[in-house]
Amino acid sequence: MKHVLSLIFIAFAIIVNAQQKAKIEVSYTEYQPNMRTGEKNGITHQYILLASGDDSKFFSPRTEYIDSLNSTPEGKAKYQEMARSAYLGGKIEDMPRADGSYYVVKSGVDNKFYYYDKVGTERFFYSEETPQLNWEVGDSTKTILGYECFFASIDYHGRKWIAWFTPEIPVVAGPWKLQGVPGLILEATTEDGLYSFVADGIQQTEKLITPIYLVDEYEKTNRIKFLKAKRGFMDNPVGAINAQFGGLGVSIRSVKISGGADSGGKLYVTRETVDFIETDY
């Protein structure tokens, strides 16, 4: 009985942690290369950081809205009707679309990051210990959104990052997985300029740091396996789709694809042309 009660209390603690109120809400624009053409800063996404103490959640509000709809039968019907109306009305641009695929949740209960993302149509998640990042902090400063920010740099998962953080907001958090400096990170860019996050809005909030929608649909993996699976899909998307649906009697025999000058006729450019935000796989 004591063992059962302990499990209940642990589960309750996790639920309470997932429902922590945030103290700060920051909006970021994410810039990343276009994986189809190799164009630098060819893709942008809008993300939100909700943070409070040791807990945070980094996510696309548009993607979360679509996931919330698809988490219930009623929501799915609403989503399908929205898509149908946009299509029939000739307003394809009004069709609800995700904007950025991943979620990063930092849990203070077990001091871990939980990363949720997709490879093609398949959902995966993994956890990793919150790293103790050894940032090199410099004397340079600049002002972002009215806050004095200090320079910091680090090598992390294969890329060198240049970040600007403000001690005026004493929240140890930042965009994506970046954290560990004595203040909120408002801007971060890889040394080669391929990936960056730039804060464009900040406010106090009491929003709940809510759990991920459709969490039961995510298959557990680890970081390296996920990155390799993602690369495998991008190198051969048709083969990956056939492998996924072949058992259902569905086969995609040909797909008209196009790419940039360096794509070699493939749907996505090669790893040698442009790689992921993490390259150590």
Side-chain angles (χ1 to χ4, degrees):
M1 177 61 73
K2 290 182 178 180
H3 179 66
V4 173
L5 289 176
S6 296
L7 291 177
I8 291 174
F9 285 132
I10 291 172
F12 178 74
I14 292 173
I15 292 171
V16 169
N17 176 73
Q19 295 289 325
Q20 285 282 353
K21 283 186 178 180
K23 294 181 179 179
I24 200 80
E25 177 180 348
V26 190
S27 59
Y28 293 87
T29 299
E30 177 199 50
Y31 298 87
Q32 66 177 66
N34 187 322
M35 290 294 185
R36 296 196 176 192
T37 66
E39 177 188 2
K40 180 179 178 180
N41 293 336
I43 301 292
T44 62
H45 299 296
Q46 297 301 314
Y47 277 88
I48 294 291
L49 172 70
L50 295 176
S52 174
D54 294 327
D55 302 289
S56 66
K57 178 181 175 183
F58 190 71
F59 64 102
S60 160
R62 193 193 304 177
T63 300
E64 183 177 63
Y65 172 65
I66 292 175
D67 286 347
S68 72
L69 290 177
N70 285 318
S71 66
T72 66
E74 298 80 11
K76 282 184 180 180
K78 179 180 178 180
Y79 175 75
Q80 291 168 357
E81 179 56 32
M82 292 166 62
R84 178 177 177 276
S85 296
Y87 179 77
L88 294 178
K91 298 182 178 180
I92 304 300
E93 67 278 4
D94 291 340
M95 291 184 67
R97 290 183 176 88
D99 177 42
S101 62
Y102 65 85
Y103 299 81
V104 182
V105 178
K106 182 183 176 185
S107 169
V109 170
D110 54 8
N111 195 35
K112 287 185 178 181
F113 275 129
Y114 290 85
Y115 183 89
Y116 302 81
D117 204 350
K118 297 172 69 176
V119 174
T121 60
E122 296 183 281
R123 300 176 187 267
F124 295 93
F125 86 96
Y126 62 82
S127 64
E128 54 184 335
E129 297 292 332
T130 303
Q132 298 297 316
L133 301 182
N134 296 315
W135 291 88
E136 183 177 338
V137 179
D139 296 327
S140 300
T141 64
K142 72 173 182 176
T143 301
I144 302 174
L145 297 177
Y147 294 94
E148 183 181 30
C149 296
F150 291 84
F151 170 92
S153 64
I154 196 169
D155 291 316
Y156 182 57
H157 287 332
R159 292 190 181 275
K160 183 172 183 178
W161 285 88
I162 308 299
W164 296 90
F165 71 96
T166 176
E168 295 180 46
I169 304 177
V171 176
V172 182
W176 185 54
K177 300 179 181 179
L178 300 174
Q179 49 84 47
V181 286
L184 179 68
I185 297 174
L186 292 181
E187 185 175 311
T189 305
T190 57
E191 188 175 41
D192 57 14
L194 288 176
Y195 292 87
S196 61
F197 300 93
V198 180
D200 48 34
I202 185 169
Q203 62 183 359
Q204 291 182 322
T205 187
E206 291 188 349
K207 289 182 179 179
L208 292 175
I209 302 177
T210 55
I212 305 298
Y213 289 101
L214 302 171
V215 68
D216 292 340
E217 296 185 9
Y218 288 84
E219 179 182 343
K220 186 175 182 179
T221 186
N222 62 48
R223 187 177 69 88
I224 299 300
K225 286 182 178 179
F226 171 78
L227 291 168
K228 287 183 176 180
K230 188 175 180 180
R231 173 51 59 188
F233 175 85
M234 298 184 77
D235 288 343
N236 184 15
V238 175
I241 294 171
N242 281 334
Q244 181 180 354
F245 293 103
L248 300 176
V250 178
S251 179
I252 300 176
R253 298 184 181 278
S254 64
V255 177
K256 184 178 179 180
I257 58 176
S258 61
D262 297 326
S263 69
K266 292 186 176 181
L267 185 58
Y268 299 100
V269 296
T270 63
R271 180 179 183 180
E272 289 71 27
T273 301
V274 174
D275 206 354
F276 302 140
I277 194 170
E278 297 171 298
T279 66
D280 58 337
Y281 60 97

